[in-house]
Amino acid sequence: MRKLIRTAALCLMLAAGFTSCREDADEPVAYEAVNYSTLSGTWTLTEHNGQPIEEGRYVYITFDRKEHTFVMYDNMSSMYSHKSTGTYLITEDDTDGYILTGEYDFSHAPWREYVVSEMTSDTMKWTVRDDASDVSVYTRCAAVPDEVLQGSRSR
């Protein structure tokens, strides 16, 4: 009898634990509107196409909401850090949602168009507008690290 009561108590505790976990998972995430204010600040690329960014690789991008400018540091296509600057624009499309576009200062080459979604105060998802399989996740950070700033060269 004692064993039965102990087993029943254990089952109740486990059930309560699973229920509380499930309730947390069911809570809706409060996504924010994508605008110049919510995008403002520094972000780092943390995931691309479902995979974490390879150690030692990075993209940092800082958006200035007042001037609609950006400064980006990356070493994704080189072993060296590169600094790029330019302007960006946020528009809203009835079908796709919030669209982020930009243009580099040095070449005036346009960015690909990105659909920005699932934006919270800490993360956002960018999906290439004409290639839904190309998805990046950016995470807000305090600043571009000093070693990146010191090691960069402008494009």
Side-chain angles (χ1 to χ4, degrees), residues 23-52:
E23 287 173 6
D24 292 343
D26 290 342
E27 288 183 28
V29 175
Y31 293 122
E32 298 180 4
V34 179
N35 56 49
Y36 294 101
S37 181
T38 57
L39 192 67
S40 182
T42 302
W43 300 83
T44 185
L45 180 64
T46 52
E47 185 180 303
H48 186 249
N49 293 335
Q51 300 297 316

Side-chain angles (χ1 to χ4, degrees), residues 42-114:
T42 302
W43 300 83
T44 185
L45 180 64
T46 52
E47 185 180 303
H48 186 249
N49 293 335
Q51 300 297 316
I53 299 307
E54 180 183 326
E55 188 174 338
R57 294 288 178 200
Y58 57 81
V59 174
Y60 290 94
I61 187 163
T62 301
F63 293 100
D64 180 306
R65 70 182 174 93
K66 292 180 182 176
E67 300 296 323
H68 299 188
T69 58
F70 69 88
V71 178
M72 181 170 46
Y73 299 87
D74 79 276
N75 71 347
M76 297 301 283
S77 60
S78 170
M79 61 187 240
Y80 301 105
S81 183
H82 295 281
K83 175 184 177 184
S84 302
T85 59
T87 57
Y88 72 98
L89 181 66
I90 300 169
T91 57
E92 191 170 1
D93 179 80
D94 291 337
T95 305
D96 293 332
Y98 300 103
I99 309 300
L100 177 64
T101 57
E103 180 179 284
Y104 294 102
D105 286 337
F106 69 95
S107 67
H108 300 288
W111 287 1
R112 297 175 84 174
E113 291 186 338
Y114 294 95

Side-chain angles (χ1 to χ4, degrees), residues 4 7 9 14 16 42-43 55 82 87 91 108 117 120-121 130 141:
L4 180 63
T7 302
L14 286 173
T42 302
W43 300 83
E55 188 174 338
H82 295 281
T87 57
T91 57
H108 300 288
S117 61
T120 68
S121 59
D130 62 355
C141 57

